[in-house]
Amino acid sequence: MRNDRLLLASSRLADARLHTVNRRTVPAVAVLAALVAVLVLAFVTGALAWYAAAWALFAVALAALRGVPSPVAGRLVLAGGLAAVATGLLAPPATSTDSFRYAWDGRVQSAGLSPYDRPPSDPALAGLRDGWLFPGCAEGRFYPLPDGGCTRINRPTVHTIYPPLAEAYFWLVDRLSPRDARHKPFQVGGALAATATSAVLLAAARRRGRERLAACWAWCPAVPMEAVNNAHVDALAVAAVALALALPLAPRSRPPGVPGPGAAGGLFRGLVRGVVLGAGIAVKLSPAVVLPALLAGRLSDSRRRHRLGPGLAAVGAALAVVGAAYLPYVLLSHGSVLGYLPGYAAEEGYADAAARGRYALLRLVLPDAWAPPAALAVLAAVWVRVLLRGDPERPWRGALEVSGAAFLVLTPGYSWYALLVVALVALDGRVEWLGVAAASAAAYLTGAGTTAYAVAAAAVAAGMWLRRPRDPLTPPRGPVTPPPPRDDAPRTGHAAPPRDAAPAP
């Protein structure tokens, strides 16, 4: 009889749990399905309104996921991420032509030439041209060539700008792809990189019991749009950054009396993190902004137990990997391996604040000429804060603050740069920073960049204020007063044990 009652109670408990899972999961699944359907419409129709609607549904989906139990949430994040990534493969690149340069650089390298030596318009490379990358001018709106032809490649008269491991990726895709594959191999490569990033973020979130955080990346509309459909190589760099920062530098907990790996183990783990991060920087230089996060909190007197050695080893290893990646191209190229990078910085208005929409928020309150030095001062202050008050156990937190602040002071006009911020949000959990990614999309696709970045900055400020009491980096104000002793506590300053506590052995 007793066993029957136990079985009945267990059955009722299982039914109650299943009912709770269904009640909380069904709305999340419904919103996720709507998000995927809207993404399909965005790519099939090419209408920006559907892409904007996808961002709105993304916010609703994240809110709906909060009530889903963790094991179910993890599976839902993974399935939804795969579905969202697949939508980016449904159409040719929608809002960017960068993947055409990728295909050209890969083709040039397969011919045994350095991509840094000659621009696509050089007549010496005419033998590598085909009807896809160099169509007739009457076939559509393309970029003109000095010789009178046209090309799909943007900035055809300048040298490539991409770092060496990006160029190695372009070469590998060209070698593995059929001759008439066109843009699709790079979209598949972006889908694989985005999925790998989702797996890394989900594994990192599962270690902390917060699988829902990975949805900030896996379900974000910027991922299928920029990483997959537009096939930006930033997806590969972000995957490396996410892996580097998610690697646990601290050893797993050990039983009492079992010694840890010591300084040598910490240095080794720092080197591994630096090597992976350096590979990401050698794909796209923008992730270099997170390097200070490797030294987060290590200059604070209150955290002396966190040695500088692992952080310095990580930074040194990252820089060494970048240098080693450039070396073969330096030896094989006749031109500068920096390519069009200095010209690009000038073209985008980073040197002249009045030229483009850079430093938009600073220029609201400062003269244009003051904006660049003010931006450097703000970023320096954020770096110092991370070095002094950052959390060594959570380097992604400092990385998010540094990269997010860089977006808010520089206000770049290209939305794919914000993939880095999206991945760091998925590691850290402060979802208010996702507004930075949405603002970058508005800046690129509409003329409302300044307004969008202002709204994003306000959201970040509000989030910082609301999280302030729970922020471990925020010290308590004033002396901490202990609670008064209970009536049954001895008057020695120590609380009495609970009445039902077992006696000490």
Side-chain angles (χ1 to χ4, degrees):
M1 181 66 69
R2 182 177 180 182
N3 290 337
D4 292 342
R5 286 198 299 268
L6 289 175
L7 289 175
L8 181 59
S10 300
S11 176
R12 290 177 176 175
L13 179 61
D15 291 342
R17 289 178 176 177
L18 181 61
H19 174 72
T20 301
V21 169
N22 289 337
R23 180 170 55 84
R24 296 178 177 179
T25 304
V26 169
V29 172
V31 177
L32 178 59
L35 171 62
V36 173
V38 168
L39 284 172
V40 171
L41 291 173
F43 291 118
V44 172
T45 66
L48 294 181
W50 288 116
Y51 186 52
W55 275 95
L57 283 172
F58 170 54
V60 177
L62 290 183
L65 189 63
R66 296 183 63 181
V68 179
S70 289
V72 179
R75 293 190 290 269
L76 193 58
V77 167
L78 183 59
L82 291 174
V85 162
T87 63
L89 300 171
L90 297 177
T95 60
S96 173
T97 58
D98 284 0
S99 60
F100 302 134
R101 170 75 76 158
Y102 303 170
W104 174 255
D105 284 0
R107 185 180 301 176
V108 169
Q109 292 178 91
S110 292
L113 303 173
S114 170
Y116 297 104
D117 284 345
R118 295 182 175 89
S121 61
D122 195 319
L125 302 178
L128 299 178
R129 299 179 182 178
D130 63 0
W132 171 54
L133 290 178
F134 295 84
C137 296
E139 298 180 24
R141 298 178 60 184
F142 305 114
Y143 299 93
L145 296 171
D147 59 8
C150 289
T151 180
R152 299 179 188 270
I153 304 170
N154 61 58
R155 301 180 182 88
T157 59
V158 302
H159 297 73
T160 190
I161 193 177
Y162 297 103
L165 289 191
E167 294 294 341
Y169 169 68
F170 303 157
W171 170 81
L172 180 63
V173 172
D174 181 80
R175 299 297 295 176
L176 296 178
S177 304
R179 191 64 180 172
D180 58 347
R182 299 191 173 188
H183 60 270
K184 190 59 70 175
F186 287 99
Q187 289 184 332
V188 172
L192 293 176
T195 303
T197 304
S198 294
V200 169
L201 296 173
L202 188 57
R206 184 173 288 119
R207 287 199 300 268
R208 294 175 285 157
R210 304 179 67 188
E211 289 93 337
R212 302 172 188 83
L213 291 184
C216 294
W217 166 270
W219 296 359
C220 181
V223 174
M225 174 63 78
E226 306 299 352
V228 183
N229 183 261
N230 289 327
H232 285 291
V233 74
D234 301 63
L236 195 62
V238 170
V241 173
L243 178 60
L245 295 181
L247 286 173
L249 282 190
R252 294 183 177 180
S253 59
R254 291 175 169 81
V258 178
L267 288 175
F268 175 76
R269 289 189 297 272
L271 288 173
V272 171
R273 173 171 282 176
V275 167
V276 178
L277 180 59
I281 297 173
V283 172
K284 198 69 180 285
L285 296 179
S286 53
V289 72
V290 308
L291 281 174
L294 299 180
L295 298 169
R298 297 183 186 274
L299 301 185
S300 172
D301 291 338
S302 63
R303 290 194 173 104
R304 291 185 183 275
R305 63 186 181 88
H306 294 283
R307 298 179 296 271
L308 272 174
L312 292 176
V315 173
L319 297 177
V321 168
V322 174
Y326 267 107
L327 184 59
Y329 285 96
V330 170
L331 298 176
L332 297 175
S333 302
H334 300 289
S336 171
V337 293
L338 294 179
Y340 185 58
L341 182 60
Y344 174 81
E347 175 187 318
E348 289 300 309
Y350 291 106
D352 182 6
R356 297 288 290 271
R358 307 295 80 82
Y359 314 105
L361 299 185
L362 293 175
R363 289 165 59 198
L364 292 175
V365 295
L366 296 174
D368 289 352
W370 294 8
L376 291 177
V378 171
L379 291 178
V382 175
W383 290 340
V384 170
R385 180 188 185 279
V386 170
L387 293 176
L388 292 178
R389 305 182 65 187
D391 188 347
E393 302 295 340
R394 295 183 292 177
W396 53 80
R397 166 158 288 201
L400 176 58
E401 293 175 356
V402 170
S403 58
F407 265 85
L408 292 178
V409 298
L410 299 178
T411 59
Y414 293 129
S415 53
W416 48 91
Y417 292 173
L419 289 173
L420 175 62
V421 175
V422 175
L424 293 175
V425 170
L427 278 172
D428 184 70
R430 288 177 287 179
V431 294
E432 60 268 19
W433 286 98
L434 288 174
V436 172
S440 68
Y444 181 62
L445 299 173
T446 71
T450 301
T451 302
Y453 275 118
V455 173
V460 170
M464 292 176 64
W465 177 261
L466 293 175
R467 295 176 186 273
R468 181 171 53 94
R470 295 178 293 172
D471 190 347
L473 302 184
T474 302
R477 295 187 177 183
V480 179
T481 303
R486 299 203 323 248
D487 293 339
D488 58 346
R491 300 304 178 181
T492 59
H494 301 282
R499 297 184 185 276
D500 57 349

